[in-house]
Amino acid sequence: MLKLNLADFSLEHFMAHYWQQKPVVIRQGFEAFSDLISPNDLAGLACENEVESRLVFKEAGQWQAEVGPFESYKRFGKTGWTLVVQAVNHWSPEVAELVKPFAFIPKWRLDDVMISYATPGGGVGPHIDLYDVFICQGSGRRHWRVGDLGNHKQFAAHAALLHTEPFEAIIDVELLPGDILYIPPGFPHEGVALEESMSFSVGFRAKSACDMLSGLADFVIDKELGKTLISDPQRPIHSHQGQINTSDFALIKAHLQAVLDDKALMADFAGSYLSKTKCALDLQALEEPLEAADWVDMLADQPLIRTGGLRCLYVDATVAQGVCYVEGERFEFGAACQEAVVALCDHEHLTQDLLQTGLQNPAFVSQLTDWVNAGFWYFQD
Ligand code: SIN
Ligand code: CO
């Protein structure tokens, strides 16, 4: 298993002084690190319809970007281009392992593992991201420059490439295999491959209020909630017809606030909304479905493995009723199942021991049977 090696400071120091605050280079964060997927296999993934990928290069000095799937890479030559593949942890169990060393940050904050393969001189250009990223250098060397926060002008260098103006570097380094560059949101940065190279970016995205309110609106519409109308019996005579007066404004605000104050509704919204994946999952439904007794038997000898990228969450407010949220859906198994529900969400590998309380509950067993048959969890052999 990959182990994060913070030679110069503790994890507590990293969280207190760098996380969301400033970029830092972690030399040899992964000792003896080798590519978790080969450039060839990465290029193969980018030929698949369900996989999100982009190829970035320059043509006559102009930035260009093409969106996958790709059929061939021949026309791109040997230098000056980068292939970026999103959510590779969904498709490769080896790449999914890269999420584990970052388990000190909760899953709801995780975005995905993006991998880039670059030929010498290749890069995606100077830009600013809206997420925290740990860029882990695989094979080859890359030159990285990171600028400070500031009023950096952004512009479309190509319809699919938002770039930022040249910036002064506060970090200017060459990353070698095993080195990690952590960059919080908002810091301009640019990486240029010095030779054929791979980089593995573990990204953590925070939601904006705009994203969440839009998700909340979808949620209340879907669940037919929040339908109570504003009510104003005993309304005093209004003298300015065009005015929304202070007490009416307070009434409107309180009506919306009541939705946000509904703990059960908000717990279900948070769990459902944050457990939904952005990119496709590699769900391989079993050709010959298993009966509950079959997989329960198999569990005695080997763990059930969660498919890469599947998000399973619980919320403190509802977990006592055995509630969890899997891929955007709410499941309730009852108080006796709480331990199994917590294990289901906290662990990627489920053993018989971890699931004990759930295995005694028919609803839990039946749901896990459906999940196993649909490929949400699988046995290695
Ligand atoms: C890359 O790996 O080429 C780009 C990663 C990033 O800048 O976020
Ligand atoms: Co970036």
Side-chain angles (χ1 to χ4, degrees), residues 114 124 127-129 131 133 135 144 183 189:
M114 184 200 89
V124 299
H127 65 279
I128 293 174
D129 291 320
Y131 45 82
V133 63
I135 300 174
W144 283 96
I183 311 176
H189 55 279

Side-chain angles (χ1 to χ4, degrees), residues 189-226:
H189 55 279
E190 177 171 26
V192 178
L194 297 171
E195 52 197 27
E196 237 187 297
S197 69
M198 294 277 278
S199 71
F200 298 76
S201 297
V202 184
F204 291 87
R205 184 179 296 247
K207 302 281 184 187
S208 67
C210 171
D211 290 338
M212 288 192 287
L213 285 171
S214 146
L216 180 61
D218 290 342
F219 180 80
V220 294
I221 292 167
D222 261 20
K223 305 279 178 221
E224 304 208 10
L225 300 166

